[in-house]
Amino acid sequence: MAKNIQSLERAAAVLRLLAGGERRLGLSDIASSLGLAKGTAHGILRTLQAEGFVEQEATSGRYQLGAELLRLGNSYLDVNELRARALVWTDDLARSSGESVHLGVLHLGGVLIVHHVFRPDDSRQVLEVGALQPLHSTALGKVLCAFDPVARQDALDGERRTLTPRTVVEPGAFEAALAAVRERGWATDVEETWDGVAAVAAPIRDRRSMVVGAVAVTGAAERLRPADAAGAAPDGGRTAVRDDLVAAVRGCARSVSRDIGNGRF
């Protein structure tokens, strides 16, 4: 069995100590409570402070939890709350559409799938929770990029790989696609990421109206395209998806947004 890293264990102990009891503690208090030499405790605190996990009060010199640690904690809670609030609505969307439903959030320059409802049939399917999908080509990713400046910059700074002949990678064309998503409020991916696969996605907003995730219906392109696809769009229907699916996905996104406190929907 691999040994634990002592310095990390000590840093975790410092954070737990600061998280309980008094809000602010001095160096001597921290060192004595954890049985550490002052020099060791000071070195741990200095490192945690440099990373934003600990802050030192200027007047008293006492330490408290930093904003970065609180931000990470809130991010964890937000994702879990989002998934919990979306369970019923995404199940309903999968049943009504007959297709797979994915819930995604921005993570490490991609779209992290945090919830996946299987297509309601007997076909063999692979659970995709935990998968990281591209920002620039997926419907989920384009929704996040259109409404979240951080996601947009991640996509522009990152490698926009050509995944199929229909993937949009040129910066100007990508920006134009995002402008269209912002205007209509939803995004599509019709064989831009995987041949034969299409998706339509809409944004989920929190109580501050910030986009915190996106929900999408995904399935075979031939099923998601409208019956009269040839005349449904200027490109001969190549990027068209069924109106009923767009309405269903947007309705699901609005319902989840309401459940996490956005009263505008």
Side-chain angles (χ1 to χ4, degrees), residues 244-260:
D244 63 308
L245 290 179
V246 173
V249 171
R250 299 187 76 185
C252 177
R254 285 193 293 267
S255 296
V256 178
S257 297
R258 280 197 302 269
D259 267 11
I260 59 177

Side-chain angles (χ1 to χ4, degrees), residues 169-180:
V169 296
E170 195 274 323
F174 179 65
E175 291 276 36
L178 296 186

Side-chain angles (χ1 to χ4, degrees), residues 1 16 23 59 74 84 95 114 134 157 195 208 223 229:
M1 181 182 293
R16 291 193 187 97
R23 281 180 53 83
T59 54
N74 287 337
R95 280 194 296 269
V114 297
D157 292 344
D195 287 326
R208 300 159 296 176
R223 294 196 303 268

